[in-house]
Amino acid sequence: MITAAAVVVAVPAAILGSGLWLHATARGHVYPLASVPAAPVVLVLGAQVYPDGTPSPFLAARLDLARQLYDAGTVRAVLVSGDHGAWAYDEPGAMSKWLVDRGVPARKVVQDHAGFDTYDSCVRAKKVFGVGKLIVVTQSFHIDRAVALCRDAGIDAVGVGDTSVKQFRTAWDRGAFRERLAAVKAAWDVATGRDPVFLGPRETGIDDALAG
């Protein structure tokens, strides 16, 4: 029988242990924008999109990092991965439109409509889209988890973390707090090796974007 005292001890231990694992796995693979090594693909992880289709400031900041990487020639294709579980809510579509509206060629932007969480996005980038090397972009409080999960999926991944939206202090602090719990889930996902919610057949969108 699990006692309340055991839970009080186990939960903080799980949070601490998973956080240390993520940090250790990502160490040496997180860079500033100006010095991140080149890679064929940048992976943009999804976040909230407003009802009118506008990316939230956190998502727009991630997209702007991807745009800058593309404009600088650091990457040659952009994989936007997010939630499109409901027809009326389309993170990848909104992400793609934002990038194309700002000059990234549409043929260079590939949409992953089943990136329901960071683990799914990383595993699908490898198994569905065939990505072997990438830069992942997200907020800095999330970047260790993103890099660690992509590397665990077999991708030579590095990351760039955004801090520009730290001005939204309440939302930033809430996200940083949630990240502690998300680290535990990440460790569990890796330990169990679960499949993404949707895996599906191999897609050639990234191959086509890199060839075009």
Side-chain angles (χ1 to χ4, degrees), residues 1 18 33 36 60 63 65 100 112 116 119 121 125 141 144 148 176 188 193 197:
M1 179 178 179
S18 57
L33 177 66
V36 66
L63 292 164
L65 286 176
V100 172
D112 173 12
F116 296 119
Y119 178 87
S121 292
F141 58 73
D144 280 359
W188 177 258
V197 175

Side-chain angles (χ1 to χ4, degrees), residues 16-181:
L16 177 61
S18 57
L20 290 173
W21 166 70
L22 290 179
H23 182 68
T25 304
R27 184 182 297 121
H29 303 294
V30 176
Y31 292 84
L33 177 66
S35 60
V36 66
V41 177
V42 57
L43 169 63
V44 188
L45 299 172
Q48 182 184 16
V49 169
Y50 295 139
D52 67 355
T54 302
S56 63
F58 280 65
L59 181 54
R62 301 177 188 188
L63 292 164
D64 194 55
L65 286 176
R67 179 194 62 78
Q68 292 182 66
L69 289 167
Y70 180 82
D71 288 348
T74 308
V75 300
R76 296 184 288 121
V78 185
L79 177 60
V80 293
S81 181
D83 184 353
H84 193 187
W87 183 256
Y89 183 75
D90 182 3
E91 288 180 2
M95 294 159 77
S96 178
K97 183 177 186 304
W98 191 100
L99 289 165
V100 172
D101 285 349
R102 287 158 181 80
V104 180
R107 69 182 186 281
K108 296 294 184 178
V109 183
V110 179
Q111 299 180 34
D112 173 12
H113 292 270
F116 296 119
D117 61 16
T118 304
Y119 178 87
D120 284 21
S121 292
C122 290
V123 173
R124 284 178 54 83
K126 176 68 175 181
K127 293 187 175 181
V128 175
F129 293 93
V131 178
K133 184 175 183 178
L134 59 74
I135 301 169
V136 60
V137 293
T138 184
Q139 271 64 55
S140 61
F141 58 73
H142 179 205
I143 196 63
D144 280 359
R145 179 162 60 96
V147 169
L149 287 174
C150 282
R151 294 187 72 83
D152 181 79
I155 301 171
D156 180 6
V158 297
V160 176
D162 167 72
T163 58
S164 69
V165 291
K166 208 169 184 177
Q167 59 182 302
F168 301 101
R169 175 57 63 180
T170 299
W172 181 276
D173 289 347
R174 188 183 303 121
F177 176 78
R178 284 200 306 263
E179 190 61 25
R180 299 177 185 178
L181 302 178

